[in-house]
């Protein structure tokens, strides 16, 4: 049973997660950065309730992009529609954790 460390910046909150316990908070995709954050008291805005249609939960992946699920076409379209997306941006509600990762939550 593998456990992973997910670190949320700038608050420097690191939580350990285990895929066997997904979903956690039941918001966003099971085991997503948003699901894990909300279940461990880390606040990430999510206006659409984790449905992947508003972009308010966008995070910047600083380490461990390879340990997240691949973005689907809908997520990529949503990030493109935001106009200022970067290659390491992800929607926290769609990025499912499969290993250690560090993300930065931008100011809202």
């Amino acid at each position: 049973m593998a456990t992973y460390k997910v670190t949320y910046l700038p608050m420097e909150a690191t939580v350990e997660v285990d895929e066997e316990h997904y979903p956690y908070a039941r918001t966003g995709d099971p085991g997503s950065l948003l699901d894990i954050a909300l279940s461990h008291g880390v606040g990430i805005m999510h206006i659409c309730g984790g449905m992947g249609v508003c972009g308010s939960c966008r995070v910047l992946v600083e380490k461990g992009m390879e340990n997240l699920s691949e973005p689907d076409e809908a997520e990529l379209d949503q990030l493109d529609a935001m106009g200022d997306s970067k290659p390491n941006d992800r929607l926290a509600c769609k990025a499912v954790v499969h290993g250690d990762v560090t993300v930065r939550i931008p100011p809202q």
Side-chain angles (χ1 to χ4, degrees), residues 2-8 13-24 27-40 44 59-71 75 90-104:
T3 59
Y4 312 127
K5 289 184 180 179
V6 182
T7 301
Y8 297 91
T14 299
V15 297
E16 284 196 14
V17 297
D18 182 339
E19 283 183 329
E20 287 189 24
H21 299 299
Y22 293 169
Y24 285 97
T27 303
D29 289 356
S32 67
L33 291 165
L34 180 63
D35 180 39
I36 293 166
L38 295 179
S39 68
H40 289 87
I44 296 180
V59 295
L60 176 68
V61 180
E62 294 201 351
K63 287 194 269 184
M65 181 70 89
E66 69 279 3
N67 294 327
L68 297 173
S69 59
E70 289 291 321
E75 179 181 356
R90 291 296 305 270
L91 296 181
C93 66
K94 295 296 175 187
V96 177
V97 175
H98 298 294
D100 294 349
V101 64
T102 299
V103 298
R104 180 168 299 279

Side-chain angles (χ1 to χ4, degrees), residues 70-93:
E70 289 291 321
D72 62 17
E73 197 64 35
E75 179 181 356
L76 293 173
D77 288 347
Q78 180 59 46
L79 288 168
D80 284 344
M82 296 175 75
D84 61 347
S85 68
K86 297 164 188 59
N88 53 339
D89 282 349
R90 291 296 305 270
L91 296 181
C93 66

